[in-house]
């Protein structure tokens, strides 16, 4: 998304919403690997994780004015990608750089109000995309790039816990409790 739809370049100022989740944390790491300046929103529990991945600013998405904190930190934003589905275009568009790109990948039921004048007079684009619509060539290129970043240690996932197959019930209970953050691995 960041490369194909957002046309990410080194030095871009990027915001990633929902950076504590799987998609958001991958987007954060890819942007950092491509030498962008990255601010993110996440829950307070995910702040340390996001900072360890290279976020220069982590704001609590519960804060009603988190967009203002992002603007003070980044200045005009080149790419805004809220992976959580809580995109507020009226609050975001004034923060965007001329030619900025807003990526839309979540919030299927969300109705957005478009501040049309600010959009077209500043050449801002809104790009919706779904990985399931990507071509085989695009998927292969993305897999190659991600594998490269993983080999270099610049792209990692968060493992929460490992359980034996006989402990599946406990794994489910621990996950349902909300106490675990990250992936659960079940081994035989």
């Amino acid at each position: 998304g960041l490369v194909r739809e957002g046309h990410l370049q080194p030095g871009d100022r990027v915001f990633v919403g929902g950076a504590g989740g799987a998609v958001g944390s991958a987007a954060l790491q890819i942007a950092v690997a491509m030498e962008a300046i990255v601010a993110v929103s996440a829950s307070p529990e995910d702040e340390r994780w996001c900072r360890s991945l290279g976020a220069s600013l982590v704001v609590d998405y519960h804060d009603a004015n988190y967009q203002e904190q992002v603007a003070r930190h980044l200045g005009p934003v080149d790419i805004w990608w809220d992976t959580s589905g809580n995109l507020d275009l009226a609050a975001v568009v004034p923060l965007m750089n001329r030619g900025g790109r807003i990526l839309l990948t979540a919030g299927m039921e969300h109705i957005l109000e478009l501040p049309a004048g600010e959009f077209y007079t500043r050449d801002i684009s809104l790009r919706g995309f779904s990985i399931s619509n990507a071509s085989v060539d695009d998927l292969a290129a993305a897999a190659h790039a991600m594998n490269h970043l993983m080999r270099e240690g610049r792209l990692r996932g968060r493992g929460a816990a490992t359980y034996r197959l006989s402990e599946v019930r406990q794994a489910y209970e621990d996950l349902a409790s909300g106490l675990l953050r990250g992936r659960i691995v079940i081994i035989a």
Side-chain angles (χ1 to χ4, degrees), residues 121-140:
T121 59
R122 294 180 36 226
D123 296 328
I124 296 171
S125 62
L126 175 65
R127 297 294 306 257
F129 73 97
S130 172
I131 194 70
S132 61
N133 294 331
S135 70
V136 172
D137 289 341
D138 284 342
L139 291 172

Side-chain angles (χ1 to χ4, degrees), residues 3 5 13 16 47-48 58 60 64 73 97 99 110 116 126 151-152 162 171 182 187-188:
V3 176
E5 303 299 333
R13 290 160 297 190
V16 177
E47 181 175 1
R48 179 175 290 159
V58 181
D60 183 347
H73 179 74
N97 203 0
H110 196 78
L126 175 65
R151 274 192 309 278
E152 292 184 341
T162 301
I187 57 175

